[in-house]
Amino acid sequence: MGNLNPKIPSPELARYMTDAAGLMGEFDKKRLTPQLLLHILLDSPNSAAHRILKELADQRGFDWAELVRRVEMAARHSPGREADFTFNDDFGQDVPLDSEMLIVLDEGLAIARARGESRVSSGHALAAMAQHNVTTYGILTRFGVTPAAAIALLDDVPEEGAVLIHDLIQEARAGNTNPLYERSELLREVLSLLALSQKRHIILVGPEGAGKRSLAFSLAVSLAEGSAPLQFDSFVQLNESALLSNSEAAIESGIRRAKGGILFIPAIERFFGDRFRSRFSEKVNAKVHTALLEDNLVLIGTATPADYDTLSADRLIRQRTHRLDVPPASRAETVAILGYHKQRLVQEYEIEVDDESFETATDLAGRYLKTVVLPASAVQLVDRASAIVAMYSSGHELTLPEVPADNRLDSGDVMYAASRMTEIPLTKLSQDEQSRYANIVNHIRERIIGQAQAVDAVSRAVKTARVGLRDPKRPIGSFLFLGPSGVGKSELAKALAEFMFDTEEAMLTLDMSEYQEEASVNRLLGAPPGYVGYQGGGQLTDFIRRRPYAVVLFDEVEKAHPRVLDVLLQVLDEGRLTDGQGRSASFGETVIIMTSNLGAYNMLVPEIGEREREQVLAEVKSFFRPEFLNRLDDIIMFHQLTPDQLTRILDLMLKNEFDLASKQGISLTVTPAARRWLLAQNDAPEYGARPLRRIIARNLREPLADHLLSVGLGGQVEVTVDAGSEGLTYTTAAARSS
């Protein structure tokens, strides 16, 4: 008795033959038969044969359960025929083979070799079992499973069982699709293009999350239901996993199956461009390009606006496709779309869902989640909120004091999830916007001393924007701060970031003296593909993509190269930038502040009058272009600080010192005499408050450290700082118990 050549069955088929051999005792068989193998394959969803049979079941509409029943009966009652070969299974056991099993392997090998393949997969074996010289022929042909039908699907289901394509029309008819909200006006636009007699290929263009794929899926559902006025044989989408692992086979399978129908390719830009942008080989790209030249299928692709700008440089795209813009969903559409997700949320997370949570998710996602647009951003938010509620209600030990343990998704849960996703404190989201912004002036004046006109001007612009009286695409506010050094320009920017976003970390400071060369624009936006460091991204665009709610400070803007000013002009005018890799960054929730020392000598006065203002503006207008200045919300001038204002600023700085000392167990007191002495050390009042920080560090903080080290007191201590004829003095004592 001979052994079967182990190189004939593929590893996939060998596994299933081993499983089938394990049933021989249960079915009272002495040899491995094709019926036993087919029985195993019907129960193995990952096998290529199983997937082929499922595809044929969808196409022909036969009863799967009946096929399983008949195959099981045949496996029990087939007599089997002796052969002189054994199969060495995965456990090292020799399994006797039925003579028909040898025929299946022999015919399967012939099918494989005819296709340029060397081993028999379960798909090849299925095609062989449907041939007339094997007794499984009678069962399979009864259900419409012929060798030709099985072989036609071999390319769509490779040996390892990974599906290369999905036919969305068949899946919709089989009820394997989720409910979809239909954007009827856009769907009518698609259908009108598909009704053309030629040049019917379409590129759906829209920002990430706008619903380009959902539009394509709703088209497939309409075609499957027969509600569309057109007919197509198929609506094929490539399997992304197979596309990455076997791109050539996936593309070939998709194009072949889409004949007479539609081939849907998301992110179609992947198949165009040079070697730096295209993700696939030239051979694969050429197959997609050729499909655009054919009229026996329709190709529908998707792209973001930035990617389409690159794509449109290709003549094939310009001449053979139509662009159809897919805008973000409206508020009403997004709420309705979330309603279609309600059943899924209930089933997947095992929670109850309040409908009001959908309106909250839409509002918060539209305002704060800017990397993806509506409706996708709102869907992401309700999924995040549902997951948090499900984890909390399941008894998982989470520290989520704001989340009630009632297993129900409501507006509060959505708000909490939004806070976690955006890093904006929950109180900032839940607090009434009108009352909070009504007090913006008082809040900022707690930090900014003396610059009342500047604080009032910024507050007015921000309040106006926050009540909705602005273009939502442009920044919340854009200002040019003018004034001498140390008068509070940067400090006002920090105070604004802390008020609006609860943290100074929501501020990006860019020193424009570092952007004096034309090439420095790439540091802001990121270098384009093909240039050194292009994968590193841009300092400005990357920050805003990660944190779209921010204050951006361009310090000493007059020092920047004119090309950098062109970038700022685009931000002020359009509210967005495209980085070197084609990704868009939105500035609709940012405050843009630029500082400059232009005309500073005219502002070295305690109060800026009309004459000083005109002189400063004349200098500013002679430096910046009119179109740049006209896009600013305001030009704000900062005057020189008075001695009284410097005294109040010193008190604020000392308060910070007290807080630092308190964290180290030190109770620090600075007498009025010591404060006057510190102020007297400021021999450059024209530099405003900036020298005060240096004076405090050198004359208070550093000597205090030396003093504490010298006295060597441990535990809580009280330190009093006074001023004498020789300067500051330090008195230290152990802290008194309260």
Side-chain angles (χ1 to χ4, degrees), residues 369-395:
L369 303 181
K370 294 296 185 178
T371 54
V372 179
V373 300
L374 295 174
S377 57
V379 174
Q380 292 176 5
L381 180 54
V382 295
D383 265 289
R384 181 71 174 271
S386 298
I388 291 174
V389 172
M391 291 180 68
Y392 189 88
S393 61
S394 67

Side-chain angles (χ1 to χ4, degrees), residues 17-319:
M17 289 176 66
T18 299
D19 292 342
L23 293 179
M24 289 169 54
E26 177 185 344
F27 282 70
D28 194 24
K29 300 297 175 186
K30 296 180 180 180
R31 288 171 288 275
L32 177 58
T33 66
Q35 290 82 359
L36 282 175
L37 176 61
L38 183 56
H39 179 68
I40 283 292
L41 294 175
L42 285 170
D43 196 39
S44 303
N46 291 327
S47 70
H50 182 101
R51 293 175 182 268
I52 290 173
L53 288 168
K54 275 292 188 181
E55 181 77 9
L56 291 173
D58 291 340
Q59 292 179 9
R60 289 158 169 73
F62 65 70
D63 188 335
W64 180 269
E66 179 64 13
L67 173 62
V68 172
R69 187 183 71 81
R70 287 182 175 271
V71 169
E72 182 178 356
M73 288 180 58
R76 291 189 181 279
H77 299 294
S78 61
R81 299 171 185 176
E82 187 175 353
D84 292 330
F85 279 86
T86 61
F87 159 66
N88 190 256
D89 67 14
D90 289 349
F91 301 105
Q93 303 293 322
D94 286 332
V95 179
L97 293 177
D98 178 87
S99 60
E100 284 196 344
M101 194 69 230
L102 287 178
I103 295 175
V104 167
L105 293 171
D106 187 55
E107 294 292 341
L109 184 60
I111 293 170
R113 286 176 174 171
R115 295 167 47 81
E117 300 166 4
S118 61
R119 308 185 79 172
V120 183
S121 72
S122 67
H124 299 136
L126 175 67
M129 282 189 278
Q131 297 196 26
H132 63 84
N133 54 348
V134 183
T135 54
T136 48
Y137 161 83
I139 297 174
L140 292 173
T141 54
R142 178 186 180 90
F143 290 88
V145 181
T146 65
I151 291 172
L153 293 173
L154 283 173
D155 282 334
D156 301 338
V157 183
E159 176 182 327
E160 292 304 316
V163 176
L164 293 176
I165 62 169
H166 299 281
D167 190 327
L168 300 182
I169 288 180
Q170 291 183 7
E171 291 184 1
R173 287 173 178 166
N176 295 330
T177 57
N178 293 321
L180 285 170
Y181 175 84
E182 182 180 288
R183 298 175 73 176
S184 55
E185 185 174 343
L186 284 172
L187 187 57
R188 282 194 295 270
E189 289 291 327
V190 175
L191 290 170
S192 67
L193 293 175
L194 293 177
L196 294 171
S197 60
Q198 56 185 351
K199 189 187 173 182
R200 297 183 296 169
H201 307 302
I202 303 170
I203 308 295
L204 304 177
V205 181
E208 184 180 352
K212 302 184 288 295
R213 293 191 187 214
S214 295
L215 177 60
F217 294 163
S218 64
L219 170 63
V221 171
S222 297
L223 294 172
E225 294 175 345
S227 58
L230 303 173
Q231 288 187 348
F232 287 92
D233 296 336
S234 60
F235 194 117
V236 177
Q237 181 185 9
L238 304 177
N239 183 296
E240 286 294 321
S241 296
L243 186 60
L244 293 175
S245 61
N246 196 350
S247 56
E248 187 173 347
I251 288 294
E252 289 178 347
S253 177
I255 292 174
R256 183 178 62 256
R257 288 289 302 279
K259 296 292 176 62
I262 297 171
L263 176 61
F264 178 51
I265 302 183
I268 195 173
E269 73 279 355
R270 295 177 292 175
F271 300 91
F272 289 81
D274 57 30
R275 63 189 177 90
F276 293 107
R277 291 194 297 272
S278 177
R279 298 187 187 179
F280 303 106
S281 68
E282 292 183 5
K283 186 176 181 180
V284 168
N285 294 344
K287 293 181 184 297
V288 176
H289 301 174
T290 302
L292 286 173
L293 294 171
E294 298 180 357
D295 293 323
N296 59 355
L297 64 81
V298 172
L299 195 153
I300 297 180
T302 71
T304 65
D307 289 329
Y308 186 82
D309 289 343
T310 303
L311 270 176
S312 60
D314 192 292
R315 186 173 62 179
L316 188 62
I317 292 292
R318 295 197 308 271
Q319 294 182 351

Side-chain angles (χ1 to χ4, degrees), residues 322-344:
H322 294 278
R323 170 177 176 158
L324 179 61
D325 287 313
V326 180
S330 66
R331 183 184 187 278
E333 287 175 330
T334 302
V335 173
I337 289 169
L338 292 179
Y340 276 75
H341 284 267
K342 182 174 182 178
Q343 184 178 0
R344 176 182 66 82

Side-chain angles (χ1 to χ4, degrees), residues 1 15 123 147 150 157 198 207 210 219 237 241 249 251 482 533 541 620 629 722:
M1 182 174 290
R15 289 197 302 272
V157 183
Q198 56 185 351
L219 170 63
Q237 181 185 9
S241 296
I251 288 294
L482 302 172
T541 51
V620 170
L629 297 176
D722 202 355

Side-chain angles (χ1 to χ4, degrees), residues 300-616:
I300 297 180
T302 71
T304 65
D307 289 329
Y308 186 82
D309 289 343
T310 303
L311 270 176
S312 60
D314 192 292
R315 186 173 62 179
L316 188 62
I317 292 292
R318 295 197 308 271
Q319 294 182 351
R320 297 291 297 175
T321 70
H322 294 278
R323 170 177 176 158
L324 179 61
D325 287 313
V326 180
S330 66
R331 183 184 187 278
E333 287 175 330
T334 302
V335 173
I337 289 169
L338 292 179
Y340 276 75
H341 284 267
K342 182 174 182 178
Q343 184 178 0
R344 176 182 66 82
L345 297 172
V346 171
Q347 292 177 345
E348 292 182 359
Y349 297 103
E350 299 181 347
I351 60 174
E352 297 180 33
V353 178
D354 285 345
D355 290 342
E356 66 176 12
S357 64
F358 296 151
E359 295 190 10
T360 303
T362 300
D363 293 337
L364 293 179
R367 170 169 289 184
Y368 295 108
L369 303 181
K370 294 296 185 178
T371 54
V372 179
V373 300
L374 295 174
S377 57
V379 174
Q380 292 176 5
L381 180 54
V382 295
D383 265 289
R384 181 71 174 271
S386 298
I388 291 174
V389 172
M391 291 180 68
Y392 189 88
S393 61
S394 67
H396 194 279
E397 294 184 2
L398 293 174
T399 306
L400 306 177
E402 297 90 345
V403 180
D406 62 357
N407 202 15
R408 174 183 292 273
L409 177 69
D410 58 21
S411 293
D413 303 319
V414 172
M415 198 171 295
Y416 178 81
S419 177
R420 295 285 295 269
M421 293 175 70
T422 62
E423 299 181 9
I424 297 177
L426 183 63
T427 54
K428 293 293 184 183
L429 294 175
S430 59
Q431 191 174 353
D432 182 72
E433 292 270 315
Q434 292 183 354
S435 63
R436 192 161 69 89
Y437 276 86
N439 295 318
I440 183 174
V441 173
N442 295 333
H443 180 92
I444 293 180
R445 282 183 178 176
E446 293 177 0
R447 290 186 56 172
I448 307 300
I449 304 300
Q451 306 293 352
Q453 292 180 338
V455 172
D456 290 346
V458 171
S459 300
R460 281 195 304 270
V462 171
K463 284 192 292 186
T464 301
R466 264 300 180 229
V467 297
L469 301 179
R470 70 177 182 99
D471 183 347
K473 295 181 180 179
R474 298 184 66 229
I476 294 172
S478 55
F479 309 99
L480 177 60
F481 287 0
L482 302 172
S485 177
V487 294
K489 301 190 297 294
S490 298
E491 188 67 19
L492 178 52
K494 293 177 183 178
L496 195 59
E498 188 275 333
F499 172 79
M500 297 183 70
F501 310 116
D502 207 49
T503 174
E504 291 183 11
E505 292 182 3
M507 185 173 98
L508 173 65
T509 301
L510 296 169
D511 185 351
M512 291 292 98
S513 64
E514 300 176 2
Y515 293 84
Q516 299 184 37
E517 303 295 332
E518 182 175 6
S520 62
V521 171
N522 289 341
R523 293 173 55 198
L524 291 177
L525 307 182
Y531 288 80
V532 175
Y534 83 95
Q535 293 179 327
Q539 291 181 340
L540 175 59
T541 51
D542 278 9
F543 183 91
I544 296 301
R545 279 176 57 81
R546 292 193 308 268
R547 198 161 203 159
Y549 31 84
V551 173
V552 183
L553 176 64
F554 298 92
D555 202 20
E556 296 186 292
V557 69
E558 76 279 4
K559 296 182 179 179
H561 189 276
R563 280 272 288 117
V564 175
L565 295 182
D566 290 339
V567 170
L568 295 181
L569 184 63
Q570 183 180 346
V571 171
L572 301 179
D573 190 33
E574 302 177 12
R576 67 179 180 87
L577 285 177
T578 302
D579 67 12
Q581 300 184 43
R583 300 171 302 186
S584 180
S586 171
F587 289 78
E589 290 293 332
T590 64
V591 176
I592 305 298
I593 295 176
M594 292 160 275
T595 68
S596 174
N597 292 326
L598 289 174
Y601 55 87
N602 290 306
M603 289 175 277
L604 292 174
V605 291
E607 186 174 347
I608 300 174
E610 192 61 33
R611 182 175 65 86
E612 290 86 4
R613 175 174 291 275
E614 290 179 359
Q615 291 174 336
V616 172

